[in-house]
Amino acid sequence: MRNLITDVRGVLVGQAHDAAAATGVTVALFERPTVASVAILGGAPGVRETALLEPEMTVEHVDAIALAGGSAWGLAAADGVMAWLAGQGRGFPIGPLHVPIVPQAILFDLLNGGDKFWAKGEAEAPYRRLGAQAVAQAGADFALGTAGAGFGATTATLKGGLGSASARAATGQTIGALVAVNAVGTATIGDGPHFWAAPYEQGDEFGERGWPASLSPADLALRFKGGTGQNTTIALVATDAVLTKAQCKRLALAAHDGLARALRPAHAALDGDIVFAAATGHSGAPSDAFALTELCATAADVLARAVARGIHAATALPFEGALPAWRDRFGG
C-alpha cells in the first residue's frame, strides 16, 4: 500500500504544472471504462460533464477524471485528456468513432502570485497542454503537496495542496482518495499545527500532532480567504468494489463528510466543493446496505486524511506575499 489512490486497482494518476503561472492539472486515468458519479455540495462549482454522472443518465462509464486550477479557463484540461485518450482508441463507442468521457472540476487559483497571462487576453491558457501532459504521465506514484491541481492552491491561513490517502475497508475492498485543497477556510486548528482531521490520521502521515490539549473560542472562530468563487476543494474517491452509478452517488455524498471533518468550514456559498466517486469493479460487490455503509464511512475517513496530507506536504510559492506552508510554520 502506497497510501495513495493508486492502491485502488485500475486507477493511475498523472500530473503537470506551470511553475511560472503557479497552476496545474491532475488526472485520474482508469485502466478500463469505470462506473462513476458525483456530488456537488459547494455553492460555486466549476465543472464539465458532470450531468451525465447522475444515476438516471445513459452513459455508464468514464475514462478519466480531471482536476485543474485556472477557474473556468482550467476546464480546457479535459480537451487535452480527451485528445490523448482518443489516440489510444478509448471512449464511448458511436459507430466507427469513440468519444472519451472525461468529467472535470476546477478550482480558483488566479490570485496566488503566478503570471496568469491568459486571464489578460494575452495568449491561450495552458490547460489543454497540461491535461495532455498529465494523462500521458499517469502511473502508480505521484507527488503530493504543491503538485498538479494543488500547485497553486491555498487555504485561509496556509498553502494548500494535492493530497491522497488509502485504506482497506472491513469489507475487504480498497478505498482511495485524491484531493486538491483550495479551501475558503482552514485545515488546521486556530494558529497551531493541529489538523482538524487528526483523529483519522494513520501513523505519522501528517505530522502525528494529534489534537491540542484544549480548544478555545479563538480556535473555533471561522477564518476566511478571498471572495465568492475564489475557492473550492475538488476530490475523487475510488474503490475496487463493484458498484452501480446510484451506489457511486451514495459514495460521493458520504465522502463529503470527510471534507467536513478536515476543513472548517466546508460546503460554503464561497466554495465549489465537489467529490467524484468511481468504482473500478476489480473486487466484489457490497453484500448488503451495511457493507455499502462501511465503504462510505471508510471513504469519508480517507478523504479527511488526504486533505491533511495535501496541506502537510505542500511547499510555499516563491512570490511576494505568498502564504507559508505548514512545514514553514511548524517544522517537518
Side-chain angles (χ1 to χ4, degrees):
M1 297 281 282
R2 299 176 178 83
N3 201 18
L4 300 172
I5 195 172
T6 49
D7 288 324
V8 176
R9 185 180 173 192
V11 181
L12 302 174
V13 171
Q15 305 193 101
H17 67 265
D18 184 321
T23 192
V25 174
T26 298
V27 177
L29 173 66
F30 301 109
E31 294 183 303
R32 67 186 189 187
T34 294
V35 177
S37 191
V38 67
I40 302 172
L41 299 186
V47 295
R48 170 172 169 163
E49 296 277 42
T50 53
L52 61 79
L53 297 179
E54 296 302 329
E56 73 274 16
M57 298 303 181
T58 300
V59 175
E60 287 290 331
H61 301 94
V62 305
D63 299 293
I65 289 175
L67 309 177
S71 189
W73 281 282
L75 292 171
D79 292 339
V81 180
M82 287 183 68
W84 186 88
L85 287 165
Q88 308 299 309
R90 294 281 302 269
F92 184 77
I94 303 177
L97 303 177
H98 289 79
V99 180
I101 306 299
V102 186
Q104 184 183 348
I106 49 90
L107 55 80
F108 185 98
D109 59 3
L110 300 182
L111 301 179
N112 59 12
D115 181 12
K116 310 298 192 299
F117 51 87
W118 62 90
K120 307 167 190 174
E122 296 174 2
E124 184 177 349
Y127 294 100
R128 180 186 174 95
R129 169 177 57 83
L130 292 175
Q133 290 176 356
V135 69
Q137 297 171 13
D141 294 305
F142 58 95
L144 302 185
T146 302
F151 194 94
T154 57
T155 72
T157 56
L158 295 170
K159 176 70 177 70
L162 193 286
S164 190
S166 67
R168 188 160 287 117
T171 57
Q173 283 101 356
T174 301
I175 297 278
L178 178 71
V179 60
V181 187
N182 189 61
V184 68
T186 63
T188 50
I189 301 171
D191 292 318
H194 308 281
F195 287 94
W196 293 111
Y200 309 98
E201 185 175 15
Q202 299 294 306
D204 61 352
E205 62 184 346
F206 45 87
E208 204 174 13
R209 299 299 182 98
W211 281 102
S214 62
L215 291 175
S216 69
D219 291 332
L220 296 175
L222 294 176
R223 300 168 186 230
F224 293 113
K225 175 197 77 179
T228 302
Q230 296 184 23
N231 315 286
T232 290
T233 297
I234 50 180
L236 164 67
V237 294
T239 177
D240 58 3
V242 175
L243 299 181
T244 65
K245 279 179 76 177
Q247 289 172 323
C248 277
K249 178 74 172 187
R250 177 54 50 193
L251 185 67
L253 284 165
H256 270 283
D257 289 348
L259 297 186
R261 294 167 188 169
L263 298 168
R264 181 174 170 85
H267 310 134
L270 306 175
D271 271 326
D273 292 352
I274 297 163
V275 178
F276 295 98
T280 63
H282 285 283
S283 67
S287 57
D288 54 27
F290 290 103
L292 178 60
T293 300
E294 174 73 32
L295 284 176
C296 290
T298 304
D301 292 350
V302 170
L303 183 50
R305 292 165 47 213
V307 168
R309 290 194 80 202
I311 303 298
H312 181 257
T315 54
L317 295 173
F319 305 119
E320 183 179 355
L323 285 168
W326 186 92
R327 294 169 188 261
D328 296 332
R329 291 278 311 276
F330 308 115

